[in-house]
């Protein structure tokens, strides 16, 4: 019976550790006291969850719900040129150069030519 009292004291002690500000808890404590931890996070605290003393996750508040933006809110602020998708001859020449053109010689080909 004496051991059960000590276990109860240990649980209270661990609970007091959960009440520290800017706290770090292990995974077992996080699972056991998740609702309490979430309440603290909702009040603005950040809680780090660790595995074997190594931080693996951080509980933070989700923030306000994002609202959708109304359509046309930037009307008149931006413009797109009429020819924005027109082909660029210089760029096309890089991709579609004549296939009959002689490819550049490699260093090995140049050395073979010199030896002859």
């Amino acid at each position: 019976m004496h051991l059960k009292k000590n276990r109860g004291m240990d649980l209270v002690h661990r609970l007091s550790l959960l009440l520290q500000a800017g706290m770090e808890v292990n995974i077992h404590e996080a699972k056991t006291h998740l609702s309490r931890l979430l309440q603290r996070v909702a009040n603005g605290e950040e809680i780090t969850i660790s595995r074997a003393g190594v931080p693996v996750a951080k509980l933070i508040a989700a923030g306000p719900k994002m609202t959708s933006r109304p359509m046309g809110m930037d009307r008149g602020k931006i413009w797109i040129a009429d020819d924005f998708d027109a082909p660029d001859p210089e760029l096309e020449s890089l991709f579609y150069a004549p296939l009959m053109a002689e490819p550049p010689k490699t260093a090995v080909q140049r050395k073979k030519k010199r030896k002859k």
Side-chain angles (χ1 to χ4, degrees):
M1 184 133 172
H2 182 66
L3 290 174
K4 288 183 180 180
K5 286 184 181 180
N6 285 341
R7 282 189 179 178
M9 293 296 283
D10 188 43
L11 289 175
V12 172
H13 174 69
R14 287 189 180 273
L15 184 58
S16 67
L17 291 176
L18 283 175
L19 301 177
Q20 297 173 359
M23 58 201 263
E24 183 174 318
V25 296
N26 66 35
I27 293 174
H28 175 72
E29 289 172 332
K31 289 193 295 187
T32 304
H33 302 289
L34 182 61
S35 60
R36 291 180 187 146
L37 295 175
L38 291 176
Q39 183 60 45
R40 294 184 68 134
V41 167
N43 290 334
E45 292 184 44
E46 289 185 3
I47 298 171
T48 304
I49 300 174
S50 300
R51 177 183 294 131
V54 177
V56 293
K58 185 177 281 192
L59 289 176
I60 59 172
K65 184 178 178 182
M66 296 295 290
T67 59
S68 62
R69 294 181 285 171
M71 295 295 290
M73 65 184 266
D74 287 334
R75 188 176 316 235
K77 294 181 181 178
I78 61 168
W79 64 274
I80 299 174
D82 292 333
D83 63 345
F84 81 96
D85 60 348
D88 181 7
E90 184 179 339
L91 184 62
E92 281 187 342
S93 70
L94 295 173
F95 286 98
Y96 304 112
L99 297 177
M100 300 305 288
E102 186 176 320
K105 294 184 179 183
T106 63
V108 174
Q109 289 172 334
R110 285 192 295 258
K111 285 182 182 179
K112 285 182 181 179
K113 190 174 185 177
R114 286 183 197 159
K115 287 183 180 180
K116 290 183 180 179

